[in-house]
């Protein structure tokens, strides 16, 4: 089991606004990592937010008990991508693929990989004045039985419970690996997401919420603890000090040149 997060800066804004590129990126990445998509890419252009700089594209693809998501910010020249899977994958292949397909300045960017082990409780310092948003990752041994409708309702209500702005309805699918059955759900919240992956036989829940604005993550932990025993709870900041990373043109031109060299 692995969860990798990539906060990539110094990216050409025109690439970040390329709907076709983003749409093709996720299934190509899944194939390169040897992960099985269970649905096509869901693409959500986001150009109507309250904050001008937060426009961009959100996209996700559900895997067999996992997901890949990306949120692009052309005006900020950055994107945030995460890959979660119960199956192992090589994060170095992931990094190389992103550098080739959607190149970034590695000196500015932030990469993190969590193995999502049980009994891991780590709340890294989060500075709401400077960090872009926190990413909360939890595992719960559920004391309730979930079906597709219950996961759908949980995601729909949770978005409002934590004062988020949903821009899609919840999306829930069922899949099977060997003898294990899974239900996977996701909802996009204003250039962010909440995901819920459930092992039917063991009743284990793998949950994460990434937000582009501060939220009460202690409240989320409390809400999740009501449905079962919390076995892991990890919080990492995303896009730390992101305002200081934005230089009007220098990194954009550098990233575009790298991309041109890579495709020729």
């Amino acid at each position: 089991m692995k969860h990798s997060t990539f906060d990539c800066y110094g990216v050409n804004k025109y690439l970040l606004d390329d709907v076709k590129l983003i749409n093709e990126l996720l299934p190509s990445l899944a194939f390169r990592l040897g992960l099985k998509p269970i649905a096509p890419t869901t693409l959500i252009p986001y150009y109507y937010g309250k904050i001008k700089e937060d426009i961009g594209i959100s996209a996700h693809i559900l895997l067999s008990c996992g997901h890949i998501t990306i949120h692009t910010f052309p005006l900020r020249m950055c994107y945030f991508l995460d890959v979660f899977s119960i199956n192992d994958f090589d994060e170095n292949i992931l990094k190389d693929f992103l550098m080739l397909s959607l190149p970034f300045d590695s000196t500015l960017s932030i990469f993190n990989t969590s193995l999502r082990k049980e009994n891991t409780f780590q709340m890294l310092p989060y500075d709401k004045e400077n960090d872009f948003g926190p990413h909360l990752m939890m595992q719960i041994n559920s004391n309730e039985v979930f079906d597709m409708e219950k996961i759908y309702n949980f995601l729909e209500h949770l978005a409002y419970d934590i004062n988020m702005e949903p821009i899609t309805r919840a999306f829930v699918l069922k899949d099977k690996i060997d003898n294990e059955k899974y239900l996977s759900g996701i909802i996009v919240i204003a250039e962010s997401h909440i995901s819920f992956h459930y092992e039917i036989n063991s009743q284990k829940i793998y949950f994460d919420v990434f937000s582009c604005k501060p939220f009460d993550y202690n409240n989320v932990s409390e809400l999740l603890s009501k449905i079962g025993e919390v076995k892991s709870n990890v919080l990492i900041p995303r896009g730390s000090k992101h305002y200081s990373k934005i230089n009007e043109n220098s990194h954009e031109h550098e990233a575009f040149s790298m991309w041109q060299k890579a495709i020729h």
Side-chain angles (χ1 to χ4, degrees):
M1 187 182 309
K2 187 176 288 186
H3 200 151
S4 290
T5 60
F6 282 66
D7 305 342
C8 298
Y9 289 92
V11 186
N12 179 268
K13 64 184 179 183
Y14 300 105
L15 299 181
L16 294 172
D17 214 18
D18 188 331
V19 172
K20 185 174 183 292
L21 173 65
I22 302 303
N23 187 59
E24 294 175 350
L25 181 76
L26 300 192
S28 298
L29 176 55
F31 176 78
R32 189 66 61 89
L33 295 176
L35 302 175
K36 175 191 171 186
I38 58 174
T41 303
T42 298
L43 193 75
I44 307 102
Y46 182 71
Y47 298 104
Y48 46 83
K50 297 177 182 178
I51 301 174
K52 177 184 176 182
E53 289 77 14
D54 285 350
I55 66 169
I57 301 168
S58 285
H60 63 74
I61 191 168
L62 286 180
L63 310 170
S64 289
C65 199
H67 64 261
I68 305 174
T69 72
I70 187 170
H71 308 288
T72 78
F73 299 85
L75 297 181
R76 299 185 188 275
M77 293 181 288
C78 65
Y79 66 91
F80 301 91
L81 180 140
D82 80 307
V83 180
F84 168 67
S85 176
I86 60 166
N87 297 312
D88 192 25
F89 58 88
D90 189 337
E91 62 268 32
N92 293 314
I93 292 177
L94 168 56
K95 185 176 181 179
D96 292 343
F97 178 89
L98 293 177
M99 180 59 81
L100 179 65
S101 304
L102 201 54
F104 51 87
D105 186 331
S106 59
T107 64
L108 298 176
S109 302
I110 303 169
F111 317 115
N112 180 76
T113 293
S114 169
L115 298 180
R116 299 289 296 263
K117 293 182 178 179
E118 288 192 4
N119 301 315
T120 301
F121 297 88
Q122 184 180 30
M123 308 296 278
L124 297 180
Y126 170 66
D127 180 358
K128 66 179 181 180
E129 299 300 326
N130 293 296
D131 294 334
F132 198 75
H135 197 151
L136 184 68
M137 296 175 280
M138 300 178 65
Q139 179 181 332
I140 301 97
N141 287 353
S142 177
N143 54 26
E144 302 180 23
V145 176
F146 279 83
D147 57 19
M148 296 179 74
E149 183 176 5
K150 193 168 184 177
I151 292 174
Y152 178 93
N153 290 333
F154 182 88
L155 291 172
E156 292 270 321
H157 293 149
L158 182 62
Y160 291 104
D161 289 341
I162 61 176
N163 197 30
M164 291 298 172
E165 180 184 354
I167 60 174
T168 68
R169 306 304 300 268
F171 182 58
V172 185
L173 287 177
K174 183 177 181 179
D175 193 51
K176 182 178 179 180
I177 305 176
D178 297 327
N179 294 320
E180 188 68 72
K181 296 179 181 179
Y182 300 94
L183 298 175
S184 289
I186 193 166
I187 187 169
V188 177
I189 49 170
E191 287 281 57
S192 310
H193 68 269
I194 305 172
S195 76
F196 190 109
H197 302 285
Y198 177 68
E199 291 184 355
I200 294 176
N201 294 339
S202 65
Q203 295 186 203
K204 289 183 178 180
I205 298 168
Y206 306 102
F207 171 90
D208 80 296
V209 53
F210 165 50
S211 171
C212 293
K213 67 176 183 180
F215 67 95
D216 187 351
Y217 43 83
N218 291 316
N219 182 41
V220 178
S221 300
E222 183 179 342
L223 289 171
L224 269 292
S225 67
K226 293 179 180 179
I227 62 175
E229 180 184 4
V230 177
K231 302 299 292 185
S232 68
N233 194 355
V234 175
L235 181 83
I236 60 171
R238 300 290 303 271
S240 179
K241 309 294 186 294
H242 72 105
Y243 288 110
S244 65
K245 295 174 183 291
I246 300 174
N247 187 330
E248 288 186 359
N249 292 307
S250 60
H251 300 305
E252 176 186 346
H253 292 315
E254 180 182 350
F256 190 63
S257 297
M258 292 166 61
W259 180 72
Q260 286 183 313
K261 292 178 181 178
I263 64 174
H264 291 298

